Amino acid sequence: MQSEIVIVGGGAGGLELACKLGRRLGPSKVALVDSRLYHIWKPSLHEVAAGTLDIHQEGLSYQMLGHDNGFTFTLGPMTGLDSTSKRITVGPVSGGGEEVLPERHIGYGALVLAVGSTSNYFGVPGAREHTISLNATEDAERFRLKLLRLLASADEHLEEGQKSGLDVVIIGGGATGVELAAELREASGVYAVYGFSHLQARRDVHITLLEGAPRILAPLPERVSNAALRLLNKRAIQVVTDCRVTSIEKDKVHDGKGNTYPADLCVWAAGIRAPEFLGTLGLPTNRGGQVEVDEHLRVKGVPDVYALGDCAACVDGNGKPVPPRAQAAHQQADYLRTTFVRRAQGKAAQEAPYRYRDYGSLVSLGHTTTVGSLMGALRGASWFVEGFVARMMYLSLHLLHHQAVLGSVRTAVLAVARFLIRRTTPLVKLH
């Protein structure tokens, strides 16, 4: 199998690039490779984990997207790269104990790595074994199902007159940890309404957020951090800062000050690194496992191989690392789209290097509240936003992503459909 442009990874950046190039160049030119059959916008995984978003309604089939946007889709994990022969190896796919698809090889004219990131456990004992990280849909579903079991067990014990409850510990006070804490508090109240009648969310569901830095949301302006802290405290979520986790057991978390936090459910959201398999491909990588790229997103020293998003070690115009955010992947996808369109037209590569532009950050604190900062055109200028307006802007980010892969008309129809579905189905997923 051969394709002019092969994109590995169907996350926000990789999928947007495949859709935009496919619509322009056609399926004979563009191929997407991913180990999963469907796409979900990663910033919404905390909603899947809490049960407030149904993955079976949210997921978008890669095969459907390929048909509609003019690219071919290959299912399977990338397991090897021969940069001399310009081909990749896609590993076999199994199901039900049988091999469904064999190992395959795909030749390329240009290769784009967009495989995202995974958790960085920083060597903390027990972190890998006893925590759940929200890296993929299966992680979020595993968390949700375990949450349901624990809520049912706690409710049964309370009905029998026993003292019971549920302790959830979230390690990491970045956007993922803060959003999950807020979403869980909102969802726990809804679950109590749908059958867990003996549970009182604030009394019986204890949520603790542990952060190693002096404040949560440390990369964002202090005003945003303070607003988020105020709202979390208002919802009876315990926030502990300057907390360095030293070890994790099956039912408890220990920190460097000798404190112990009971944990029936523990989530690791304290750091990310690039997938480990990138280090086996013979490409230059940094300490975090990211592939090193130049200012044009080309992998250093390897012809016709590019990388974007969380897996790429890219620096901005000031020599600072580009942050692992969806907006960075979106910008890089647009940059490479221009690069490959020019290449297909026989034009010289664009001279202007990639430059990251920070448009600010928004953090969801449930289905009614969002806080964040917006960056202005003036250097260093930013505006604090909170409440309904910020919430509408947060929702628009998801819609803009869908617009890039589905088009304006289908995105509008999908938005209306979701609005109606939310009013005809339970507010949380109960099965």
Side-chain angles (χ1 to χ4, degrees), residues 354-407:
Y354 164 72
R355 289 292 180 262
Y356 170 67
R357 294 189 64 185
D358 187 353
Y359 292 103
S361 299
L362 296 167
V363 180
S364 172
L365 294 168
H367 280 198
T368 58
T369 306
T370 297
V371 298
S373 62
L374 302 179
M375 305 301 293
L378 298 176
R379 184 177 179 84
S382 66
W383 292 271
F384 173 78
V385 289
E386 183 178 8
F388 178 77
V389 173
R391 181 63 189 170
M392 291 300 101
M393 297 179 70
Y394 182 89
L395 293 175
S396 71
L397 297 177
H398 198 172
L399 292 176
L400 287 172
H401 172 61
H402 275 160
Q403 183 185 37
V405 301
L406 293 174

Side-chain angles (χ1 to χ4, degrees), residues 61-202:
S61 163
Y62 287 124
Q63 290 168 306
M64 177 270 290
L65 292 170
H67 173 270
D68 294 347
N69 290 282
F71 65 83
T72 58
F73 171 66
T74 298
L75 174 66
M78 177 180 174
T79 57
L81 167 66
D82 185 341
S83 58
T84 302
S85 300
K86 300 182 72 171
R87 70 174 189 172
I88 66 169
T89 301
V90 178
V93 176
S94 300
E98 297 182 0
E99 186 177 277
V100 178
L101 293 171
E103 180 179 272
R104 290 138 292 160
H105 300 282
I106 302 176
Y108 65 84
L111 173 67
V112 181
L113 300 173
V115 293
S117 59
T118 187
S119 294
N120 188 346
Y121 296 105
F122 302 105
V124 174
R128 187 184 298 272
E129 296 83 2
H130 302 304
T131 68
I132 297 176
S133 299
L134 302 185
N135 294 315
T137 53
E138 48 267 38
D139 301 322
E141 273 289 275
R142 182 159 62 97
F143 178 93
R144 185 186 65 81
L145 292 173
K146 187 174 182 180
L147 174 67
L148 271 176
R149 290 196 300 270
L150 291 171
L151 286 172
S153 176
D155 185 70
E156 182 179 354
H157 290 155
L158 288 168
E159 184 180 11
E160 296 171 354
Q162 303 177 35
K163 186 177 180 181
S164 186
L166 172 61
D167 292 296
V168 181
V169 175
I170 302 169
I171 302 171
T176 299
V178 169
E179 290 183 331
L180 178 61
E183 198 75 21
L184 283 175
R185 172 56 72 218
E186 209 168 85
S188 62
V190 179
Y191 279 118
V193 174
Y194 287 113
F196 301 127
S197 55
H198 299 89
L199 274 173
Q200 294 183 25
R202 291 186 176 231

Side-chain angles (χ1 to χ4, degrees), residues 262-291:
D264 299 303
L265 258 176
C266 189
V267 177
W268 185 270
I272 61 173
R273 61 168 288 118
E276 293 183 3
F277 87 92
L278 290 176
T280 68
L281 302 179
L283 304 176
T285 56
N286 63 10
R287 291 182 60 184
Q290 294 174 303
V291 178

